[in-house]
Amino acid sequence: MHLIDFLSRDRVQAHVHCAGSHALLAQAAALLGKGGERELQTQILEALEAREALGSTGLGRGVAIPHARLGVDMQPTAALLQLHPAVDFAAQDGVQVDLVLALIIPERFSDAHLSLLAQTAELMSDPDILIDLRAASDSRQLYERLHKHCVALGEA
């Protein structure tokens, strides 16, 4: 199970404007629930907010990985957002977030949850990858760059 398998091109957006952390989570939930009912997007948003209430998923260096488990029948799903401008996401290093890789993982994928989080954290902790993702000029290029790095890390 690889991260890139759960990230479709239509769930990658560059130059997203969000007024704050709540708007960021709402945008991530909309992408994660894309193609589903509005109720699914609401459930995803509530799950992401509940997880953030436990502690920020801001990794530092301008990166956040909001994630949650959800008791619905769906596949694990990822979304990537490149924000402009960056928003405060209560990261420990105090740096505002401009790259967000959000995950929603159904509860039945118990082993996959930690594996996907580990892959995501490894990927989004590499300074060279972050520079490359931030330099993407549009959503298509952002997806292609992430895909290239996942392949290079042996994730695809």
Side-chain angles (χ1 to χ4, degrees), residues 29-51:
L31 285 174
L32 290 167
K34 194 172 192 166
E37 299 292 322
R38 180 78 179 142
E39 180 181 324
L40 174 62
Q41 293 177 9
T42 300
Q43 288 178 313
I44 292 171
L45 176 58
E46 290 171 354
L48 292 174
E49 288 177 332
R51 171 56 189 86

Side-chain angles (χ1 to χ4, degrees), residues 12 25 28 38 55 64 77 82 97-98 105 126 129 131 146 148:
V12 175
L25 291 176
R38 180 78 179 142
T77 306
Q82 177 200 62
V97 166
D98 66 344
I105 303 168
D126 184 310
I129 292 173
I131 289 168
L146 181 68
K148 171 187 72 174

Side-chain angles (χ1 to χ4, degrees), residues 63-74:
V63 174
I65 304 176
H67 61 277
R69 296 184 66 189
L70 198 60
V72 296
D73 186 25
M74 64 183 287

